[in-house]
Amino acid sequence: MATANKLSVIPCGAMTADLTWLLLKPGVSIKPRQEKTAQIDWVDVPSHCVLVETDEGKLLWDTSCPADWETRWKPTGLQDFFPYDKAGPDDYLDSRLNQMGVGLDEIDYVVLSHLHFDHAGNAQMFKNTNAKLVCSDREKEFALNFEGDFNGAHLKADYEGLNWETVSGDVDFLPGVRLIQTPGHTVGCMSMQVDLPDSGSMIFTSDAVYMGDSYGPPAAPAAIVNNLEQWFSSVEKLRGIQEKTGAQLVFGHDAQQIHELRTAPEGSYT
């Protein structure tokens, strides 16, 4: 079985948000009458990217949030609901790649799990590079064809004018790298499975599963879901893959888990 050579989880600081955006779970984010006067729970919403090195090239998974988030996101109004306020210059993607000694010209593929503003925020960084930009066909079709400058957390300024290649269905993309269709959060949200010689399988769920509390069982959805039936189906699809392969799941925005991982620039998985 083909495997990738090395994987680096790249931490890019955190947004903060009302927990209810991320988790609709009675007794946790949805309060009973005994707690009707309780404070709203604002939590960290960490952002990360992943660099996978294979014999057939380097792949960057997602691009995190932009440094100019406050002004870039202003048309959407979401900068007030998801401020990227727990990140500084050292946390931004370009700084992280510099810390890792990885030049933009070394990256062969930039694969976007989906095109929301906290995942595609730095896609324009690769406009004049040789990197191939990839997303799912359904995500591209939706993201480039709605009217206006934004739709929910899709912001055209992030990804317009770029040359997008697409994949359809579940695809073995590079040695040890499989792209998995997990729609529901968006129409074309994907997850990524990476097989490594020593660490085994790792699955990066992106926003198909926000956090461990989302995964359950039972699975608990979020306020931002495009199609709830598809969302539940995608979570159970990932659960089936995990049970079959014993893969470690890395969730999209889990404030506890990100601190338990070996993260770049110091740490990596082989």
Side-chain angles (χ1 to χ4, degrees):
M1 183 179 70
T3 57
N5 299 328
K6 182 180 177 182
L7 182 151
S8 301
V9 179
I10 307 171
C12 295
M15 301 173 287
T16 52
D18 183 335
L19 178 60
T20 314
W21 281 107
L22 305 175
L23 189 71
L24 299 178
K25 193 168 187 177
V28 181
S29 58
I30 302 173
K31 305 296 187 183
R33 64 179 180 174
Q34 290 87 350
E35 297 179 49
K36 65 174 66 176
T37 60
Q39 290 282 328
I40 295 171
D41 291 326
W42 267 67
V43 297
D44 287 355
V45 186
S47 175
H48 68 265
C49 307
V50 182
L51 184 70
V52 186
E53 301 177 34
T54 78
D55 287 341
E56 295 180 14
K58 290 187 174 73
L59 179 155
L60 179 69
W61 171 254
D62 283 345
T63 66
S64 191
C65 306
D68 63 345
W69 62 274
E70 186 89 59
T71 53
R72 177 99 64 90
W73 297 352
K74 194 169 185 179
T76 71
L78 289 175
Q79 77 282 359
D80 291 329
F81 291 93
F82 293 93
Y84 187 36
D85 52 6
K86 288 200 172 179
D90 289 344
D91 299 308
Y92 300 143
L93 177 60
D94 56 349
S95 295
R96 286 296 191 208
L97 292 174
N98 285 336
Q99 293 161 24
M100 296 166 67
V102 176
L104 297 185
D105 58 344
E106 296 178 51
I107 296 173
D108 301 290
Y109 302 94
V110 179
V111 181
L112 276 293
S113 63
H114 61 299
L115 296 174
H116 274 174
F117 63 1
D118 57 323
H119 294 261
N122 291 299
Q124 297 285 353
M125 188 186 300
F126 298 91
K127 184 170 187 176
N128 296 313
T129 71
N130 292 321
K132 294 180 179 179
L133 282 87
V134 181
C135 65
S136 81
D137 53 354
R138 292 178 180 175
E139 189 75 5
K140 178 183 177 181
E141 181 181 7
F142 171 80
L144 290 172
N145 291 301
F146 59 76
E147 292 186 9
D149 294 331
F150 69 94
N151 183 310
H154 283 97
L155 182 59
K156 284 181 179 174
D158 289 337
Y159 51 77
E160 239 179 1
L162 297 173
N163 183 25
W164 290 99
E165 300 185 10
T166 61
V167 295
S168 178
D170 297 347
V171 177
D172 291 321
F173 191 75
L174 288 172
V177 179
R178 184 168 178 80
L179 303 180
I180 304 168
Q181 299 297 322
T182 48
H185 175 72
T186 69
V187 296
C189 187
M190 296 193 296
S191 302
M192 177 177 69
Q193 180 177 355
V194 181
D195 295 326
L196 294 157
D198 297 326
S199 300
S201 289
M202 300 178 75
I203 296 175
F204 295 85
T205 69
S206 183
D207 291 0
V209 188
Y210 273 144
M211 57 182 75
D213 273 343
S214 312
Y215 191 54
I224 303 178
V225 174
N226 174 71
N227 183 301
L228 193 56
E229 185 176 354
Q230 287 184 346
W231 184 86
F232 276 109
S233 178
S234 291
V235 174
E236 296 315 312
K237 178 180 181 178
L238 291 174
R239 199 185 309 281
I241 296 170
Q242 183 193 33
E243 289 173 353
K244 183 178 179 181
T245 64
Q248 176 183 0
L249 260 65
V250 179
F251 304 116
H253 297 289
D254 192 304
Q256 179 177 338
Q257 185 185 46
I258 191 66
H259 299 293
E260 299 169 350
L261 298 169
R262 302 201 293 267
T263 54
E266 296 86 6
S268 62
Y269 294 87
T270 56

